[in-house]
């Protein structure tokens, strides 16, 4: 899953972010304190410190979870929704371990959604649920929880839950891949027996 983040885009996105806006308001309060003469010669530290404090306490901007047009388990619609999911995931800020697990899951789901592989309705339903519900919910819940977790000392880190969820979803997708592999092996053996049997 590639990210196409140019430095200019990242700067523009930060300039429009909630962190920058709240930090700027706090920085302006620091300018106000400076104008009263209370900050003295330390006014740059006061303004900078208030900006940093505002940026730190601001809740992070969350990318909007994708809206999926399809609800059924048709492969074409599912592939289109998977593309929407990928665009959403490139915007989400995730820790490296979770991003690594997500990349592995993304690669496997992409392979399963290649035309001509998954035809079983139950398998398609599981993949559809993974793409449209499980992954977006796991990532969005992590982003929401991560900000509040810093106010709850001793609480379990939200990235641990995200990693566990992604690991479970990866195992579920691997079971589908294993079923496909087994079906292809059976098909290959049957064809071998058929071809060899023709010469008898």
């Amino acid at each position: 899953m590639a990210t196409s983040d140019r430095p200019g885009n990242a700067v523009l996105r930060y300039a429009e972010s909630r962190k920058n806006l709240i930090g700027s308001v706090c920085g302006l309060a620091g300018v106000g304190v400076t104008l009263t003469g209370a900050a003295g010669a330390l006014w740059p530290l006061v303004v900078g410190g208030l900006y940093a404090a505002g940026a730190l306490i601001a809740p992070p901007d969350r990318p909007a979870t994708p809206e999926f047009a399809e609800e059924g388990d048709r492969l074409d619609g599912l592939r289109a929704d998977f593309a929407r999911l990928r665009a959403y995931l490139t915007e989400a800020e995730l820790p490296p371990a979770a991003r690594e697990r997500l990349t592995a899951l993304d690669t496997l789901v992409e392979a399963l959604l290649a035309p001509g592989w998954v035809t079983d309705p139950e398998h398609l339903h599981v993949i559809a649920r993974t793409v449209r519900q499980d992954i977006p919910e796991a990532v969005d819940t992590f982003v929401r929880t991560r900000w509040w977790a810093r106010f709850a000392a001793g609480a379990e880190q939200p990235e641990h839950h995200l990693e566990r969820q992604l690991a479970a979803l990866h195992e579920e997708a691997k079971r589908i891949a294993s079923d496909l592999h087994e079906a292809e092996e059976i098909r290959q053996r049957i064809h071998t027996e058929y071809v060899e049997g023709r010469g008898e």
Side-chain angles (χ1 to χ4, degrees):
M1 182 175 18
T3 57
S4 58
D5 237 5
R6 295 186 182 138
N9 291 343
V11 170
L12 182 61
R13 199 162 54 238
Y14 181 77
E16 298 172 343
S17 72
R18 191 178 301 156
K19 285 184 172 295
N20 184 48
L21 294 176
I22 293 176
S24 297
V25 169
C26 291
L28 285 173
V31 171
V33 169
T34 300
L35 292 176
T36 66
L42 298 176
W43 70 267
L45 292 176
V46 171
V47 173
L50 285 173
Y51 173 87
L56 284 173
I57 64 169
D61 291 323
R62 292 186 306 108
T65 52
E67 293 185 11
F68 300 117
E70 293 279 338
E71 290 187 358
D73 296 339
R74 292 187 317 107
L75 185 59
D76 289 343
L78 193 46
R79 286 169 60 83
D81 285 346
F82 183 56
R84 287 185 194 91
L85 174 65
R86 280 180 145 178
Y88 161 71
L89 293 175
T90 59
E91 297 291 320
E93 292 181 23
L94 302 176
R99 179 64 71 182
E100 188 177 321
R101 287 189 182 275
L102 186 60
T103 300
L105 176 58
D106 175 90
T107 302
L108 184 51
V109 171
E110 180 183 31
L112 291 172
L113 289 177
W117 287 114
V118 178
T119 55
D120 182 89
E122 181 59 32
H123 288 164
L124 281 172
H125 176 71
V126 170
I127 297 170
R129 183 181 61 207
T130 298
V131 168
R132 295 180 180 136
Q133 178 182 333
D134 295 333
I135 295 175
E137 177 71 16
V139 171
D140 187 59
T141 303
F142 164 76
V143 173
R144 289 171 178 265
T145 308
R146 177 182 54 181
W147 186 74
W148 290 105
R150 59 187 176 166
F151 300 113
E156 186 175 2
Q157 294 300 308
E159 52 264 31
H160 295 158
H161 282 286
L162 177 62
E163 289 169 25
R164 288 168 56 192
Q165 291 164 11
L166 294 174
L169 292 171
H170 190 257
E171 286 302 313
E172 194 173 51
K174 276 171 62 177
R175 283 194 292 273
I176 295 175
S178 178
D179 288 349
L180 290 174
H181 180 242
E182 185 179 346
E184 291 302 322
E185 280 188 330
I186 292 170
R187 181 181 170 199
Q188 186 181 41
R189 283 200 303 270
I190 290 172
H191 189 61
T192 300
E193 291 168 3
Y194 165 70
V195 171
E196 290 175 345
R198 287 190 312 198
E200 295 176 357

